[in-house]
Amino acid sequence: MRIKITYHLMPWEIDYALLSFSQLKKSYYYLSSKDNIVIETVLNLSSYTINWEESKLPKEYFIDKYNQISILLEDYTHIKKIYEGNKLYGHLDLQKECIASDIDYYLSICPDIYFSEHLLSYMIEGAKQIENKYFLITPQISKVGDADWDRITNSKYISIPYKDYLKVNTFDIINDDVNSTDEINLVPLSKPKFAGWFDLYSKYFYEELCPLHEEWEGYGPWDLYSLIILDQLSSYNIDFQQYLLTGKTIWFYPSGPLAENNIDGFSQYYKNFLNLNIHKDNQREIFESKLPYFINKTLMQLKDKFII
């Protein structure tokens, strides 16, 4: 089995990368030696997004720190990249670049997400038990701001008011997760819901059912695009299933104390020293404006395969 983990980070997320790489270092000790895991990371220093000449911190600061913390991934096959071009670049570009013929499963990690050192092994072992051609596995989460997320929310946190979801202390969740005696199970969901925070995808789901398009660039809600595609295909007999891995909870580090004064948590410190040309929300709006075109293009590609 060959798994590729993708991890795209902006310079202001460098402290989250240290936390993630530390968890991946610990995760290694719980993995099977038979599994070949490739981690592809990109430090995005695009001058399209950041005006380095007007920034108070030089890009070399982030390059040095990225190189140092990457030592934590030396147990894996680590494809380490630094993008220093002048074009719009983001996680959508990494998602295109990471495709490889010899990969069986893809797993995406969002930089500011806490995950247990046991979670990766549970996700991989769970994938080995699944017979569906098109599938993904999602761990449980804490409460999010609307009811659509409740179906993947851990029951421990379901009673939290929607308006208070970012008041939850992430380290309370970490403590619960570390000391949990909950049984680990894969539970099929009747309706898909995921965000790309720490999801494992089968090769065929990632490359065929909800494919990326060559003209994609920068940042955009691939999860929203995929969910709309799945909804459009729901009336067809397609061998797709999303599974919820219960017993393990992921959550944002910038929550509770790290969100009370600043929702960006560890990120805002660095943003104060960087001159940004374009923000993520701007890129998201551009992508969403083109969603109908991308969805129609995908459905046309799938027409012959599923007789739509």
Side-chain angles (χ1 to χ4, degrees):
M1 174 182 284
R2 190 168 171 85
I3 305 104
K4 178 172 282 190
I5 298 173
T6 58
Y7 190 95
H8 169 271
L9 71 144
M10 301 302 296
W12 54 82
E13 296 173 319
I14 195 70
D15 286 344
Y16 293 123
L18 174 58
L19 293 171
S20 300
F21 291 7
S22 297
Q23 288 303 101
L24 287 168
K25 174 69 174 180
K26 291 184 282 187
S27 298
Y28 179 80
Y29 298 102
Y30 300 95
L31 299 171
S32 169
S33 59
K34 297 179 180 180
D35 296 325
N36 188 339
I37 298 177
V38 178
I39 302 180
E40 188 164 343
T41 67
V42 176
L43 172 62
N44 184 356
L45 303 177
S46 170
S47 58
Y48 183 97
T49 303
I50 303 167
N51 182 343
W52 289 104
E53 293 182 358
E54 299 294 329
S55 294
K56 296 178 181 179
L57 277 175
K59 63 173 66 175
E60 288 74 21
Y61 172 87
F62 299 101
I63 292 172
D64 288 346
K65 192 165 186 177
Y66 174 62
N67 287 332
Q68 285 297 312
I69 66 177
S70 291
I71 295 172
L72 292 167
L73 302 182
E74 62 184 0
D75 295 319
Y76 300 91
T77 300
H78 182 200
I79 301 173
K80 185 174 65 170
K81 299 179 180 179
I82 300 173
Y83 181 80
E84 296 184 78
N86 59 4
K87 297 181 179 179
L88 176 60
Y89 186 93
H91 79 87
L92 293 174
D93 299 277
L94 173 57
Q95 284 186 263
K96 292 186 297 184
E97 295 168 0
C98 78
I99 300 295
S101 59
D102 61 344
I103 298 300
D104 301 303
Y105 303 98
Y106 296 91
L107 191 149
S108 63
I109 300 179
C110 188
D112 61 356
I113 288 290
Y114 157 76
F115 57 93
S116 161
E117 56 261 40
H118 302 100
L119 180 57
L120 181 58
S121 63
Y122 286 134
M123 298 280 274
I124 293 172
E125 292 305 313
K128 295 175 183 178
Q129 312 303 316
I130 297 174
E131 297 181 355
N132 304 91
K133 182 176 182 180
Y134 307 103
F135 75 85
L136 68 141
I137 303 174
T138 300
Q140 290 180 301
I141 63 172
S142 181
K143 191 63 170 275
V144 184
D146 66 73
D148 203 34
W149 296 94
D150 286 356
R151 55 184 174 275
I152 64 171
T153 300
N154 190 315
S155 60
K156 296 177 183 176
Y157 313 112
I158 201 71
S159 62
I160 296 171
Y162 293 116
K163 63 182 178 62
D164 294 334
Y165 80 98
L166 278 178
K167 294 182 180 180
V168 175
N169 189 328
T170 299
F171 291 89
D172 289 339
I173 292 179
I174 293 173
N175 183 64
D176 289 345
D177 190 52
V178 170
N179 295 299
S180 175
T181 58
D182 293 346
E183 188 174 350
I184 307 298
N185 286 307
L186 281 179
V187 178
L189 294 179
S190 58
K191 185 178 180 182
K193 184 64 179 179
F194 59 96
W197 294 333
F198 196 104
D199 300 327
L200 185 147
Y201 313 95
S202 70
K203 177 183 187 70
Y204 301 105
F205 175 86
Y206 199 79
E207 295 182 15
E208 293 183 8
L209 195 62
C210 296
L212 296 105
H213 295 290
E214 187 59 36
E215 60 265 52
W216 284 7
E217 58 181 1
Y219 175 87
W222 180 73
D223 57 311
L224 175 60
Y225 155 82
S226 301
L227 288 166
I228 294 174
I229 292 295
L230 293 171
D231 182 65
Q232 293 288 315
L233 298 176
S234 61
S235 60
Y236 297 89
N237 187 25
I238 297 171
D239 186 22
F240 164 78
Q241 182 63 58
Q242 179 180 355
Y243 294 88
L244 181 66
L245 189 140
T246 64
K248 286 295 172 186
T249 303
I250 62 171
W251 192 235
F252 300 103
Y253 281 111
S255 180
L258 291 179
E260 287 175 0
N261 299 314
N262 187 337
I263 197 170
D264 280 334
F266 294 137
S267 295
Q268 189 59 45
Y269 171 83
Y270 295 106
K271 286 184 178 179
N272 290 338
F273 293 92
L274 298 173
N275 190 307
L276 303 184
N277 296 324
I278 185 171
H279 293 267
K280 185 173 67 174
D281 289 343
N282 303 130
Q283 296 182 44
R284 184 184 179 98
E285 290 171 2
I286 293 171
F287 183 88
E288 288 186 344
S289 69
K290 298 178 181 178
L291 262 183
Y293 165 75
F294 292 135
I295 290 167
N296 184 64
K297 182 176 180 179
T298 299
L299 292 174
M300 291 299 295
Q301 292 175 353
L302 297 174
K303 181 176 181 180
D304 293 334
K305 181 183 290 292
F306 299 123
I307 319 177
I308 295 176

